[in-house]
Amino acid sequence: MMEAVNIKNIALIAHVDHGKTTLVDAMLRQSGTFRDNQEVKERVMDSNDLERERGITILSKNTSVHWQGVKINIVDTPGHADFGGEVERILRMVNGVLLIVDAFEGPMPQTRFVLRKAMELNLIPIVVINKIDRPNARPAEVLNEIYDLFIELGANDEQIDFPVIYTSARSGLSGFSPDFLEDNLTPLFSTILKYIPAPLVEYNSPLQLLITNLNYDDYVGKIAIGLISRGEIQEGETITLIKRDKSQVYSKVVKLYLFEGLERKEVKRVEAGEIVAIAGISEANIGETIACKEKPEALSKIKIDEPTLAVDFTVNNSPFAGREGKFVTSRHLRERLFKEVETNVSLRVEETESTDTFHVSGRGELHLSILIEKMRREGYEFQVSKPKVIFINIEGARCEPIELMTCDIPKDSLGAVMEICGKRRAELVNMIEFSSDQLRLEFEIPARGLIGFRDEFLTKTKGKGIMHHLFLDYRPYKGPIPTRARGVLIAYESGITSTYGLHNAQGRGTLFVAPVTEVYQGMIVGEHKRINDLEVNVSKRKQVTNMRASGSDEALRLEKPRQFSLEQALDYIQEDELLEITPLNIRLRKKFLDHHSRLQRVKSLKVG
């Protein structure tokens, strides 16, 4: 084994919104990757609409910069634990990590999650304390918290002796002290060259490459991405693809690419140590090995954390089915879900007894909601059930996933937050006075206790609370958790909502629909004030007589209807309810739309 010449492979890891992607922007600019007159949008690495809207990285992406004759391959990884599958496999391609931490917030749950993965692989860390120019920045305390985190995660002597760089990624500043920053990123680049080892490779050995990512191009088709750990690869070469089940497939390399800045540069030959993109291997999947034809040897598989949450995806069978979507059949739904599994390695898709229903398991609520949102934007129309936690048996005991949840709250919200956490079987494990009016609480809470929690938490903290969570481990079942305390208002018949009908229903609870909205029988149009469900006629119109004019509806005042985001709607629905997902709408509905079918279902459950 020997070190690759003039190559450094690093991953950027951090909590959501601590500045990973902004730092990459600054590194690309200052390394001369962009022309002086080139117009570049902010957060260039957040390439899809969902990432830009939510301000988070969902898919890992490759780029590279050149500094003093050394090529630095950079991988921007997701900061959210729900995308742990992305993080897990990307860390297999690199020799070091830039651990980026906010100078005010300090290390957060997802920092802990990704750092633990990096330390298990013995990667060399460089700590970057970012946003140093932020008001209330507390770099000294944050650095102590980072040392505590390393010790807690069992860091070895080499890992805990990490170099520290202070930066303002947005302004392009960096330095070895928070009080003395240079107006460039030279200290950061020089630290990377000094501390991050080059990849250890075997040049004169048979080819080995583990596929850690997939891409797609309209012209060349599927593109496999990975680090060449042994040998070399050439355009036009016939290789062996070793599948997950150990079977072997011959394939031809049509195109080879290296990452240069944000572009893919076509090359004829690549040696060990480089991260390469290969076109032409149509059967490639993540976790499989590309090897030479003559002497194929497989690399070890990527270990991925198991899913903790599951939902059922069903073909849309509502009265409005097929109106808004392009892809509406079970065949469309099946093809799309199984295609997702090829690149989304943390996802599991199982067929059920019904040809119209698919059981989909993921790493968490965000993981599943991102998939749902992507599909609806692509023109798919379907229904999803309430998310359910996946239980497992350990030594005969029924165990459930437990999450570590961190809540930053105003001090005057402490009582309210403790009350809602107590109801959800959460245990307080740590409380820190974060500032004069802020507290940081750490809870261990069952994953099922988080379903619907965020909405209630924001209400109790008047929108000032911040919460994050990550998977901890499996522990014995903690007992029942109360579900939604109120029933719903259900549309009695199909029609178009009227101000008169809505005004009558408004006295019974909170409305979810506005006037002149088309509804169908069994659709959920509001929340009842009481515990039971109630059918209401929101399409009812005032009788027009000689004494009454139809225009007198205008005098009726309606409250603004409650709007749901996708995550809020998933949290809200119960076992006997579904979400109807279309490119234009998210509707809440009962599984059984007909009143008599619902009554029969309730009776059969009581008998059972």
Side-chain angles (χ1 to χ4, degrees), residues 368-402:
L368 293 168
S369 67
I370 290 289
L371 170 62
I372 293 167
E373 185 63 37
K374 277 199 304 187
M375 287 176 63
R376 71 181 286 241
R377 291 184 184 206
E378 291 165 14
Y380 286 84
E381 196 174 291
F382 53 96
Q383 297 176 145
V384 292
S385 66
K386 183 178 181 65
K388 287 183 181 176
V389 163
I390 299 170
F391 292 93
I392 62 169
N393 278 320
I394 300 176
E395 297 178 358
R398 188 189 188 207
C399 295
E400 63 178 326
I402 302 295

Side-chain angles (χ1 to χ4, degrees), residues 130-389:
N130 190 30
K131 303 188 183 182
I132 200 71
D133 51 355
R134 179 177 174 175
N136 303 321
R138 46 187 196 97
E141 294 97 316
V142 165
L143 183 57
N144 285 332
E145 290 170 14
I146 294 169
Y147 278 117
D148 291 343
L149 178 59
F150 270 73
I151 292 165
E152 187 184 328
L153 295 175
N156 59 36
D157 292 345
E158 188 181 10
Q159 288 170 330
I160 206 162
D161 190 23
F162 51 78
V164 182
I165 302 292
Y166 299 90
T167 64
S168 168
R170 188 172 288 280
S171 305
L173 312 176
S174 69
F176 299 103
S177 162
D179 302 318
F180 301 101
L181 299 183
E182 297 182 26
D183 61 355
N184 54 54
L185 294 180
T186 300
L188 174 62
F189 282 121
S190 60
T191 304
I192 291 171
L193 298 194
K194 182 179 178 181
Y195 287 94
I196 301 297
L200 288 172
V201 294
E202 296 177 47
Y203 287 113
N204 302 314
S205 298
L207 170 69
Q208 268 191 326
L209 178 150
L210 185 71
I211 300 172
T212 48
N213 213 347
L214 290 177
N215 215 319
Y216 190 83
D217 186 281
D218 290 336
Y219 298 101
V220 296
K222 188 181 281 188
I223 295 173
I225 298 168
L227 173 76
I228 305 176
S229 53
R230 207 170 74 176
E232 64 175 40
I233 190 166
Q234 298 185 36
E235 185 181 297
E237 180 183 351
T238 300
I239 55 90
T240 304
L241 177 68
I242 305 174
K243 308 288 286 179
R244 291 173 188 160
D245 61 2
K246 303 291 175 68
S247 64
Q248 299 182 1
V249 179
Y250 291 127
S251 197
K252 188 176 180 181
V253 176
V254 175
K255 298 276 186 188
L256 277 178
Y257 303 96
L258 289 177
F259 294 95
E260 294 289 347
L262 295 175
E263 306 295 325
R264 284 199 298 259
K265 177 186 173 186
E266 191 174 335
V267 292
K268 299 295 181 187
R269 173 177 166 274
V270 185
E271 287 188 330
E274 268 283 15
I275 295 173
V276 65
I278 306 165
I281 309 174
S282 58
E283 296 185 50
N285 286 305
I286 285 166
E288 297 173 349
T289 301
I290 292 174
C292 68
K293 184 181 176 184
E294 294 76 22
K295 193 180 176 185
E297 294 176 38
L299 286 159
S300 58
K301 290 181 181 177
I302 298 171
K303 178 183 170 291
I304 303 295
D305 290 337
E306 289 299 307
T308 57
L309 213 59
V311 297
D312 287 336
F313 280 62
T314 312
V315 171
N316 189 10
N317 61 3
S318 86
F320 295 169
R323 289 189 182 185
E324 298 166 7
K326 242 190 326 185
F327 308 109
V328 297
T329 65
S330 59
R331 179 177 63 85
H332 288 138
L333 192 58
R334 184 185 187 282
E335 285 176 1
R336 178 64 182 83
L337 289 172
F338 279 101
K339 183 184 174 187
E340 184 70 21
V341 174
E342 292 180 10
T343 54
N344 197 337
V345 291
S346 300
L347 201 73
R348 304 277 187 279
V349 178
E350 301 165 59
E351 299 191 62
T352 64
E353 293 175 0
S354 167
T355 54
D356 290 346
T357 302
F358 302 90
H359 193 63
V360 180
S361 310
R363 287 287 301 142
E365 200 174 18
L366 183 64
H367 188 204
L368 293 168
S369 67
I370 290 289
L371 170 62
I372 293 167
E373 185 63 37
K374 277 199 304 187
M375 287 176 63
R376 71 181 286 241
R377 291 184 184 206
E378 291 165 14
Y380 286 84
E381 196 174 291
F382 53 96
Q383 297 176 145
V384 292
S385 66
K386 183 178 181 65
K388 287 183 181 176
V389 163

